[in-house]
Amino acid sequence: MRHWLRSYLLLLRWSAIRLRYLLSLVLVIQIFLSVGIVIGFAFLLPQIDSATALYLSTGAPTLGLITIGMVMAPQLVATAKSEGTFTYNQTLPVPRTAVLLSDVTTWLVVGAPGLILGLVVAVVRFDLTFRVSWLAVPAMVLVALTATTVGLAIAYAATPPVTNMVTQLIVFTALMFSPINFPADRLPEWLQAIHHVLPFQHMAQVVRESLTAAPEGISAAPFAVLLVWCAIGLVGALRVMTRRT
């Protein structure tokens, strides 16, 4: 256990030093994304009721976490593969779970400021009052963890060109065709059925419900779906990391 913890802390420190300039830029981009969705989308909708404001306010941090975990993190892993850093990590005498967890921790920390700032801007912009549930923090962590593990699993398994194309498809789908900033019933029935399986709608739902604490309670089904996706991401990433090189 001591060896694992020491390996994890050293890997975390090494990642922070190696990516310090890029992570700073990613942090700025993520903050602008979260805040920009709240402010920018409002310009497209001159008449914003309370329901629309709620969707935009909770959708912005959700999209921010998706972008961090499923787009930016995989793209940097693709860059590391091209540079040979990924292969080098696989040869280190450290537990593979420590390598994976250090990557996940790095991106969880980077995603937190944009999430918080996006919510603050939404409260000010739309004059909202959230009824925050005790499940809010676990919900945010689950969303971030699911996005990051799935994103890293894709990047670990695929070649850099494929990773870049898949991440572009993910951000396009999440931003334009996923019920994150709008209700799912606006989509065609066939697309609604697809989103029952994909994680995007469930990510938005757990964030929204945990921040509003509706009287009827918080649905358990979205949490279950995200746990399944998170497990798939973890297993897939570890399978690649433990593969013999």
Side-chain angles (χ1 to χ4, degrees):
M1 183 62 185
R2 181 178 298 179
H3 171 64
W4 188 95
L5 183 59
R6 184 171 183 273
S7 299
Y8 165 73
L9 294 175
L10 288 174
L11 286 167
L12 194 61
R13 181 182 177 186
W14 183 63
S15 296
I17 294 173
R18 181 172 59 90
L19 301 173
R20 61 187 181 277
Y21 298 116
L22 283 176
L23 290 179
S24 299
L25 180 59
V26 169
L27 178 60
V28 172
I29 293 173
Q30 199 258 354
I31 290 175
F32 272 100
L33 175 66
S34 297
V35 174
I37 290 173
V38 173
I39 298 176
F41 274 42
F43 292 141
L44 300 175
L45 305 168
Q47 300 296 328
I48 298 180
D49 55 23
S50 58
T52 302
L54 179 61
Y55 270 92
L56 289 178
S57 302
T58 57
T62 305
L63 281 171
L65 293 176
I66 291 173
T67 304
I68 283 286
M70 290 186 167
V71 181
M72 295 182 179
Q75 287 179 349
L76 284 185
V77 171
T79 301
K81 278 189 170 184
S82 299
E83 296 173 346
T85 307
F86 182 80
T87 303
Y88 172 74
N89 284 345
Q90 289 183 296
T91 64
L92 293 175
V94 296
R96 298 297 177 259
T97 53
V99 176
L100 175 60
L101 190 57
S102 66
D103 282 346
V104 171
T105 304
T106 299
W107 294 106
L108 290 180
V109 172
V110 171
L115 184 151
I116 296 171
L117 188 57
L119 291 174
V120 171
V121 171
V123 169
V124 175
R125 173 64 178 80
F126 299 120
D127 193 24
L128 293 175
T129 300
F130 290 124
R131 297 174 55 192
V132 181
S133 165
W134 66 271
L135 284 173
V137 173
M140 303 290 183
V141 171
L142 179 59
V143 170
L145 191 61
T146 302
T148 306
T149 53
V150 171
L152 291 178
I154 293 171
Y156 287 176
T159 61
V162 172
T163 297
N164 289 328
M165 287 189 290
V166 171
T167 55
Q168 293 302 316
L169 177 62
I170 287 174
V171 72
F172 179 70
T173 302
L175 187 60
M176 302 298 297
F177 298 105
S178 297
I180 295 176
N181 286 319
F182 56 85
D185 56 16
R186 296 183 184 178
L187 296 172
E189 290 186 3
W190 64 269
L191 192 50
Q192 292 183 41
I194 292 175
H195 277 295
H196 285 313
V197 179
L198 295 177
F200 306 123
Q201 175 182 340
H202 304 289
M203 290 176 173
Q205 186 174 348
V206 299
V207 171
R208 186 167 56 252
E209 291 186 356
S210 65
L211 290 176
T212 56
E216 61 271 17
I218 298 176
S219 303
F223 283 89
V225 173
L226 293 183
L227 285 172
V228 171
W229 275 101
C230 186
I232 292 173
L234 283 172
V235 171
L238 284 175
R239 183 179 180 85
V240 176
M241 289 299 294
T242 55
R243 185 184 303 162
R244 290 183 179 273
T245 55

